[in-house]
Amino acid sequence: MAQIGISEFTFGFAFLREQVNLQDIIGYPALPSLNAENALGWDAAITPTEGTVIFYQFKMSEYLSHGNSKHVEDGMYSSYYRFFLHPDGGNRQHRLLKDLGDTLAPTYYVAPEVPTEALFSAAYQTETVITSSRLIPLIECPAISATDVEEHYITYAPGTTEFTFHSEPKRRVGSVFGRELPQLYKQLLDRRQKLDEAFVHSFLREARSIASIPEEVTKAKTAHVEESSLGQLARFMAANFGVITAVIAETSSS
């Protein structure tokens, strides 16, 4: 087993940092903090007025290749990556993300596909963190019951879009190589719409329903917050779903 040696925050920062450099398409991270926007190197003024939203939940994978690694030993893989799901609240995070991805907007677990910290550092320096990543769509993941007490994790191997959902192995297809992200974004733009107040209001209403949060609770928590509509959406989604909100748009529309 090889722990890559970086945090989920470090990986997420590096992944988002490269979004705005994608050719023809911008993956604009709609963050609730202007300081965070400045740190990552873009200006709030470039927020697109038309596009679509996507959600990321960053995970830290580990690389396993030794013969005594569980799924090398049982013949499932010759080498593989693995990340665990949060078990708290009867796997509440996965259940929320599953509902979000199934009903409201594309939602992905995103994890590194690089075996060592040194190779991750090299990818950071050459701005190839995205191409050294794997995206697992929640819509392709099985649901988990609130009463399920098993330990759940996802495994994937280099060179194939198949992944396996555990503990009882369920093989799935449809993960996305990081190098395919621009093509994915172009496909998502087929569902573009105006990113105005009406969109944010409608989206938050549906997201509150998924998370079982009354509208008055959200209003009370944001009553003294001054930020853009997309910032409000991002704040809500980060606090209640644990995801980063990104807006996908053509660069000419930003």
Side-chain angles (χ1 to χ4, degrees):
M1 179 175 67
Q3 298 284 350
I4 295 176
I6 59 174
S7 67
E8 289 177 5
F9 177 84
T10 298
F11 170 62
F13 177 96
F15 184 90
L16 294 172
R17 173 176 171 262
E18 296 177 14
Q19 296 286 298
V20 294
N21 296 323
L22 296 176
Q23 187 174 5
D24 301 324
I25 302 292
I26 186 170
Y28 176 83
L31 301 176
S33 165
L34 183 61
N35 288 335
E37 290 174 359
N38 287 338
L40 282 168
W42 59 83
D43 191 309
I46 70 171
T47 306
T49 58
E50 184 179 271
T52 190
V53 293
I54 184 174
F55 297 100
Y56 293 133
Q57 218 290 320
F58 294 110
K59 296 292 185 182
M60 186 44 52
S61 59
E62 53 190 0
Y63 179 69
L64 301 103
S65 60
H66 295 300
N68 61 355
S69 298
K70 180 176 181 178
H71 298 304
V72 173
E73 189 173 33
D74 67 15
M76 183 177 291
Y77 299 107
S78 58
S79 63
Y80 62 101
Y81 293 89
R82 175 180 66 184
F83 64 81
F84 287 88
L85 307 187
H86 293 305
D88 296 349
N91 295 286
R92 185 174 186 272
Q93 183 183 72
H94 179 80
R95 290 187 286 110
L96 284 176
L97 297 184
K98 175 66 176 169
D99 286 346
L100 178 64
D102 283 356
T103 64
L104 194 50
T107 305
Y108 293 85
Y109 289 128
V110 187
E113 190 169 355
V114 59
T116 67
E117 183 177 6
L119 289 175
F120 175 82
S121 296
Y124 184 89
Q125 294 296 327
T126 57
E127 297 189 352
T128 56
V129 170
I130 287 177
T131 59
S132 303
S133 303
R134 183 71 68 94
L135 289 80
I136 309 292
L138 266 295
I139 198 170
E140 299 295 342
C141 292
I144 302 176
S145 167
T147 59
D148 189 332
V149 296
E150 296 293 323
E151 182 178 57
H152 293 283
Y153 56 96
I154 289 174
T155 59
Y156 54 97
T160 175
T161 59
E162 290 186 348
F163 65 97
T164 305
F165 194 94
H166 306 261
S167 57
E168 181 181 342
K170 298 179 179 67
R171 189 64 62 93
R172 294 289 190 265
V173 296
S175 73
V176 179
F177 296 122
R179 63 176 181 272
E180 298 173 336
L181 198 61
Q183 289 79 13
L184 173 65
Y185 283 0
K186 288 177 182 179
Q187 293 173 9
L188 292 177
L189 281 175
D190 289 341
R191 56 189 292 174
R192 76 186 76 192
Q193 55 191 304
K194 290 186 180 300
L195 302 173
D196 53 15
E197 293 281 350
F199 164 78
V200 172
H201 179 76
S202 175
F203 195 100
L204 287 178
R205 182 177 63 249
E206 295 185 58
R208 280 193 297 267
S209 177
I210 291 173
S212 300
I213 299 174
E215 182 175 3
E216 55 268 23
V217 173
T218 306
K219 287 183 177 180
K221 288 183 177 180
T222 60
H224 303 293
V225 177
E226 295 183 4
E227 58 189 358
S228 69
S229 294
L230 288 175
Q232 294 168 7
L233 189 155
R235 176 183 291 273
F236 178 88
M237 298 305 293
N240 295 285
F241 288 80
V243 293
I244 289 291
T245 303
V247 178
I248 311 307
E250 294 176 337
T251 52
S252 59
S253 69
S254 60

